[in-house]
Amino acid sequence: MSKPARQLALFFIAAILFMASIPHAQGQQIEAEIAIGPGSSAAVRGKFLTTPAIRDRKAFSIETSSGDRPGNTRPITDLELFDVSGQKLQFRKLIDGEYLAQGDIAAWSYVIDLTPLKNRNAAAHSSWIEGERGVLMAADLLPISARAGTLKFHVPNGWKVYDRDTASLPDIRKAVVAIGAGWTQTDAIGVPVRLLINGKWHFTSSEAAEMVQEIHRSHRNLFQHDVGPSDLIISNFPTATSHGNWEAETRGNVVTIISSDMAFRTQSLQRLHEQLRHELFHLWIPNGVNLTGNYDWFYEGFALYQSLKLAVGLNRIRFEDFLDTLSRAHTIDSAGSQRISLIQASTARFSGANTQVYARGMLVGFLCDLALIERSKGKKSVEDILRAIFVKHRKPAQPADGNTAVIAELKLNLELVPVVEKYVTGAEKMDWATELAAAGIEDGDAGPITTLRVKQKLSGRQKTTLDKLGYNNWRRSSRNSK
């Protein structure tokens, strides 16, 4: 056997041994401490608490990269592994972040560089420290096998740790914590959300809290259930970024928005409301349900559509803006040369299908809304679908496949079966002229650019549908303000 072939064979043998030890390492309970050191480094140490006696735990993995977000990689240094007696274990590195020890691992320590990553959008999805502020996300700080346990933080003098309760976490990898100096803490009145804001903005913390209150109550009324205490972290990008850029993630019960401000105050307020409508929705779906798998087309696409509809309902945008957003989504979706189903697009979301998931997912939400309103003469809407899915699968319900559960719920309504078969499980080009006409809406541009508008003459049925979509909201608002 040649030397390269022998090395390759040894690598595969090591990989097989590594994989063989993984089942014993999944879902481990831990105790861990994270100490922020000089510069942007974090020293992490901890131990496994699994009983009975530790056995067959030779594999050790750390999330050093995120394949779905290019540029999201960071080095791990000074790794040490220990056995149950505290003796250091010899180990070998298989690939970045994966190690195989010669004995069973009981404890560990290492150092992670938390300098902001080159990909600026990674700041909403991974840990970072810049100056005297930072956001720590346990998922990329702790061993992959860690699940439940305790987590303690040690920070420099003058810094604070804004953690809800890390004394006993049922899913420790979902912990997200703001640290540092200069954070403003505000509680939204009447809803269980704490705001942590850092940086200079055209809006005040009280204005942001009022938005959270309004939007959180709207979502709570929709789902008819509350969610537990949550944190909202808002920070500027850790690196210089031009106006208008932002990235967000809702992980567990923490919403993280990393953003640059807009040029003008009115734009800043409008965009913050848009961000909050979408991200707070995720506290209920998908984070509040026990659905698994890649059903991103639903929880992202329908979140976009519901956020848009809520904006009309709260008089944040005009109905013309509502139609304009749907027009742009349809133009984007129609321009795609290679069509795949939304099921497939969700699986390949971070490999080039992200726009399709958002654009067509939102359009499917709209078509479902139109069909439900039309068939029920205004008595049902997409809100009923969202509520039913949340109630049926609200944690701690038994886990279920997301695609299977959502499609089954949609197909309970016969009028939604064609929508599902054409655009969710199928990959047909969206042909919605009939559905639009039934709602009193038409495409005013015969070219490749979609331009939706309300028809000049409307039937009583069309007026009912438009009213349920929010067409008359501005008129009601104007009358009530007189």
Side-chain angles (χ1 to χ4, degrees), residues 97-413:
E98 294 188 1
Y99 307 87
L100 190 64
Q102 291 184 356
D104 294 326
I105 303 166
W108 31 265
S109 68
Y110 45 85
V111 176
I112 303 180
D113 181 3
L114 297 183
T115 301
L117 299 167
K118 291 182 179 180
N119 178 356
R120 68 185 179 205
N121 289 339
H125 311 289
S126 59
S127 302
W128 57 270
I129 296 175
E130 186 277 325
E132 294 189 342
R133 63 181 175 134
V135 176
L136 303 182
M137 300 189 178
D140 60 13
L141 296 175
L142 300 176
I144 289 176
S145 61
R147 285 299 178 265
T150 61
L151 187 57
K152 295 181 180 179
F153 298 93
H154 305 280
V155 295
N157 291 334
W159 286 32
K160 291 188 67 175
V161 178
Y162 297 90
D163 56 333
R164 277 282 181 182
D165 181 11
T166 54
S168 181
L169 295 167
D171 191 347
I172 200 167
R173 292 180 61 78
K174 290 185 178 178
V176 180
V177 175
I179 62 169
W183 292 91
T184 299
Q185 178 176 322
T186 308
D187 291 325
I189 298 174
V191 297
V193 181
R194 176 179 66 171
L195 288 80
L196 302 169
I197 302 177
N198 199 308
K200 295 182 179 180
W201 305 93
H202 286 309
F203 55 81
T204 66
S205 58
S206 60
E207 287 172 326
E210 288 173 3
M211 289 185 190
V212 169
Q213 179 189 53
E214 176 184 54
I215 295 166
H216 194 281
R217 284 178 171 172
S218 296
H219 290 330
R220 183 172 60 191
N221 290 339
L222 163 62
F223 293 106
Q224 296 181 356
H225 288 278
D226 212 337
V227 288
S230 307
D231 279 349
L232 168 62
I233 297 173
I234 301 176
S235 175
N236 297 121
F237 279 99
T239 54
T241 306
S242 58
H243 291 304
N245 292 285
W246 67 281
E247 186 78 5
E249 179 180 319
T250 302
R251 182 179 300 185
N253 64 344
V254 180
V255 175
T256 304
I257 298 175
I258 307 297
S259 178
S260 59
D261 206 357
M262 301 295 284
F264 302 102
R265 173 174 162 79
T266 53
Q267 295 174 326
S268 182
L269 290 167
Q270 185 75 348
R271 194 189 57 176
L272 177 63
H273 202 275
E274 175 190 344
Q275 293 167 337
L276 294 175
R277 291 194 308 269
H278 184 95
E279 294 303 324
L280 290 175
F281 177 96
H282 287 322
L283 292 173
W284 281 267
I285 295 179
N287 295 14
V289 295
N290 205 359
L291 295 177
T292 62
N294 301 112
Y295 65 111
D296 310 39
W297 63 273
F298 176 74
Y299 68 74
E300 292 293 3
F302 278 57
L304 271 178
Y305 176 68
Q306 184 59 27
S307 169
L308 192 64
K309 193 176 179 182
L310 179 60
V312 177
L314 296 176
N315 288 317
R316 284 285 173 174
I317 64 173
R318 303 169 303 158
F319 193 74
E320 289 82 353
D321 301 319
F322 172 83
L323 292 181
D324 181 61
T325 301
L326 293 169
S327 297
R328 284 185 278 117
H330 187 262
T331 299
I332 292 170
D333 184 64
S334 300
S337 56
Q338 293 184 339
R339 305 196 66 81
I340 57 176
S341 72
L342 275 176
I343 304 294
Q344 293 172 298
S346 295
T347 302
R349 178 180 168 190
F350 297 108
S351 301
N354 200 25
T355 301
Q356 189 171 347
V357 167
Y358 279 92
R360 204 194 315 174
M362 179 170 63
L363 295 173
V364 167
F366 174 55
L367 286 177
C368 287
D369 207 14
L370 290 183
L372 289 165
I373 293 171
E374 165 66 19
R375 180 70 176 266
S376 67
K377 299 181 180 179
K379 294 179 182 178
K380 289 184 67 175
S381 67
V382 74
E383 285 89 341
D384 294 283
I385 298 292
L386 295 170
R387 187 181 306 113
I389 289 172
F390 179 78
V391 170
K392 288 181 181 180
H393 301 282
R394 180 166 63 107
K395 293 177 180 177
Q398 290 296 310
D401 178 73
N403 284 312
T404 302
V406 171
I407 290 173
E409 187 63 38
L410 292 174
K411 285 189 170 183
L412 289 177
N413 305 273

